[in-house]
Amino acid sequence: MRLVYSLATYLLAPILPLYLIKRGRKNPAYLYNWNERFGINLVKSSQKPIIWLHSVSVGETRAMQKLVELISSNLSNYQILITTMTPTGRQTAQTLFPQAIVHYVPYDISFCVKSFYKNFKPKIGIIMETEIWPNLIHFAERSKTSLYLVNARLSNRSFKGYNRFKLALLPILNKFNGILCQDVNSENNFSKLGYNGNLQTVGNTKFDLVFDDSNKNKIIELQKIFNNRKIITFASTRDGEEEILLNNIDLNQNVTYLVIPRHPERFIELENLLKKNNITYCKRSENKKINSETKVVIGDSMGEMLAYYSLSYLVVIGGSFKDFGGQNPIEALYMEKPVIFGSSMFNFMDVAKNSVSIGCAIQVDSPTELKVLINNLVEDDDRYNTLKNHCLEFINQYCGASESVFSIIFKNVSCETFN
């Protein structure tokens, strides 16, 4: 089965440059560093043995911040390598982890992956979230890289899909030295699939956020722009959601709406939508102080999400008002901001359920409920403060996963282990 997969990836290889060129029309960053994606002319800039962490994009990259801090502090004789799949993830990693080598993950084609392992020879690999790339996993074993899946999530919905391909998937899955899950339900689903390695529930490292001086500096900068306005943030909105949300808010309310599309290439789409609807707006990138006439601010910047949340009154979570499965509400709750999300939160099912249960989040069945709800929270201080006071309780209940991951994976690692 892996042979069939490998042949298929070889056949797709000639199409990948066309894909990158197409993506590059909206985001020019896709036009650079192709050698990393194809495993060509790779350079290892450190002679230290490599500990490798892989994340897809921004959220997963931020989720490893505490873990990277623990590795840097306790295993200084090793070089950290971080790979991402998207330009935004790469940029975030370069900003957060100046001590690391930052690289695109190779495409899951045999020659690309083999070149990656031959060049870097990582001793330990950590894949954040449930990323199953057969060649990347297969050749890790060949290169004697101990590979772990961390923050692993397998919803009941995903389990049904995985289970259809169980015979093909299981030999790949069982090459992981360990799968460390976000929740018990995911652990049970991996067990039902037949994974027979080190399987544990340790929680979600996204709760272990690091708030450093760079975040504080961004807050000071943003405070000058937002000019003490009350901010309602629409975070990580997905395709088609901005129109839904804008149609279900009160533009006469004495607040400013900050809208942050999930993908940077969609900033222009949001701007065109605001122009079409004659809504007064400005862009964060303009770095201008807003006034009471500005109804919407486009959050067209990178690496400022925690600062945005810090200044927000409350946060509406994108990806949840169409069938995208929601985005991560943890960062907003970490900054002690109540959250609202729609009915589609299957990617963060436990987080959504528990935050509502504890009382720091509200889930609505329809976006038509937003206008009344937001206005009520803006005007009802008691109800708002009750939600706000439960945010820290929620975060404290679930933090600490990074320490657990570190102790499990690196408990036997020393300077002598890999020399």
Side-chain angles (χ1 to χ4, degrees):
M1 183 60 74
R2 200 189 69 81
L3 177 61
V4 173
Y5 174 82
S6 295
L7 288 172
T9 57
Y10 269 104
L11 292 173
L12 287 172
I15 302 173
L16 291 172
L18 298 176
Y19 166 77
L20 291 171
I21 291 170
K22 181 179 179 181
R23 293 299 301 268
R25 289 172 185 163
K26 290 188 175 181
N27 185 348
Y30 277 97
L31 301 176
Y32 300 96
N33 305 108
W34 285 17
N35 65 302
E36 297 177 7
R37 297 185 185 273
F38 289 96
I40 300 169
N41 297 327
L42 303 183
V43 177
K44 181 184 175 185
S45 58
S46 173
Q47 297 306 309
K48 295 180 180 180
I50 296 287
I51 293 173
W52 162 47
L53 297 95
H54 170 64
S55 62
V56 179
S57 191
V58 176
E60 296 80 13
T61 303
R62 294 194 68 89
M64 65 171 68
Q65 194 169 358
K66 182 64 176 180
L67 182 57
V68 170
E69 187 179 274
L70 289 168
I71 295 169
S72 296
S73 299
N74 294 281
L75 298 169
S76 59
N77 287 332
Y78 295 89
Q79 174 62 50
I80 296 173
L81 165 68
I82 294 175
T83 61
T84 71
M85 188 171 290
T86 68
T88 51
R90 180 190 179 93
Q91 183 179 343
T92 301
Q94 289 172 330
T95 301
L96 292 179
F97 312 120
Q99 76 275 36
I101 298 171
V102 178
H103 201 279
Y104 281 123
V105 73
Y107 282 125
D108 203 48
I109 303 168
S110 295
F111 74 86
C112 304
V113 171
K114 285 193 284 187
S115 175
F116 173 81
Y117 281 119
K118 182 179 179 180
N119 182 73
F120 290 110
K121 300 180 176 65
K123 304 302 180 182
I124 286 181
I126 298 172
I127 296 179
M128 305 295 286
E129 306 283 344
T130 308
E131 287 282 296
I132 309 295
W133 295 106
N135 284 320
L136 197 67
I137 297 167
H138 173 76
F139 288 105
E141 184 183 50
R142 280 201 181 183
S143 69
K144 298 180 180 179
T145 299
S146 299
L147 199 62
Y148 293 84
L149 194 61
V150 171
N151 275 3
R153 183 181 70 226
L154 190 59
S155 66
N156 295 337
R157 179 174 176 171
S158 296
F159 169 76
K160 291 176 182 177
Y162 278 44
N163 202 40
R164 295 190 189 101
F165 304 97
K166 181 176 179 177
L167 292 178
L169 181 65
L170 199 54
I172 295 296
L173 207 60
N174 276 323
K175 290 183 184 294
F176 279 109
N177 293 75
I179 296 181
L180 308 182
C181 299
Q182 293 185 19
D183 52 69
V184 173
N185 187 61
S186 292
E187 180 182 343
N188 291 338
N189 283 335
F190 277 112
S191 179
K192 286 190 289 184
L193 270 181
Y195 175 71
N196 57 22
N198 180 9
L199 182 63
Q200 299 183 49
T201 296
V202 298
N204 190 339
T205 65
K206 288 182 177 179
F207 285 93
D208 301 326
L209 291 166
V210 176
F211 192 78
D212 54 23
D213 288 339
S214 65
N215 296 122
K216 295 174 185 176
N217 292 335
K218 289 181 185 299
I219 289 173
I220 293 170
E221 184 179 348
L222 288 173
Q223 281 174 332
K224 296 175 182 177
I225 293 171
F226 284 102
N227 198 23
N228 295 318
R229 296 284 295 165
K230 187 171 284 188
I231 303 163
I232 309 298
T233 296
F234 294 127
S236 298
T237 54
R238 302 289 294 274
D239 188 18
E241 286 192 313
E242 292 88 1
E243 186 166 15
I244 293 172
L245 295 169
L246 290 172
N247 286 336
N248 289 282
I249 58 174
D250 185 356
L251 291 172
N252 294 315
Q253 180 67 265
N254 188 28
V255 300
T256 296
Y257 295 96
L258 169 63
V259 185
I260 311 165
R262 171 72 172 170
H263 301 111
E265 56 266 31
R266 295 191 54 253
F267 293 154
I268 188 65
E269 293 180 25
L270 173 57
E271 187 173 2
N272 290 336
L273 177 65
L274 294 169
K275 288 178 180 177
K276 177 183 175 182
N277 288 278
N278 296 314
I279 297 174
T280 308
Y281 73 94
C282 69
K283 296 188 286 187
R284 158 67 181 103
S285 58
E286 294 172 341
N287 210 32
K288 296 178 181 177
K289 184 179 289 189
I290 66 172
N291 54 45
S292 59
E293 295 178 358
T294 302
K295 297 301 180 183
V296 173
V297 176
I298 301 174
D300 60 341
S301 63
M302 295 300 300
E304 296 190 326
M305 192 63 89
L306 284 181
Y308 282 143
Y309 287 151
S310 177
L311 296 183
S312 298
Y313 184 75
L314 59 86
V315 177
V316 181
I317 302 298
S320 66
F321 294 92
K322 294 185 73 175
D323 194 28
F324 293 114
Q327 298 298 147
N328 175 26
I330 294 172
E331 290 185 344
L333 294 168
Y334 177 86
M335 299 307 294
E336 299 183 51
K337 307 302 175 181
V339 300
I340 300 169
F341 38 76
S343 59
S344 180
M345 285 292 287
F346 56 80
N347 286 331
F348 299 91
M349 183 172 60
D350 282 357
V351 173
K353 178 182 176 182
N354 294 335
S355 60
V356 171
S357 176
I358 285 176
C360 54
I362 298 174
Q363 186 164 28
V364 296
D365 294 325
S366 168
T368 58
E369 300 175 43
L370 277 177
K371 183 183 291 187
V372 172
L373 178 58
I374 291 174
N375 285 355
N376 179 267
L377 291 173
V378 167
E379 295 165 4
D380 187 341
D381 289 341
D382 289 340
R383 186 181 184 191
Y384 172 79
N385 287 326
T386 298
L387 287 165
K388 183 179 174 65
N389 292 337
H390 286 301
C391 292
L392 194 57
E393 176 188 346
F394 176 71
I395 293 297
N396 288 339
Q397 186 170 328
Y398 292 98
C399 65
S402 298
E403 286 84 354
S404 298
V405 169
F406 182 82
S407 65
I408 292 168
I409 295 178
F410 298 102
K411 62 182 176 182
N412 296 319
V413 176
S414 67
C415 295
E416 293 75 28
T417 304
F418 294 137
N419 288 341

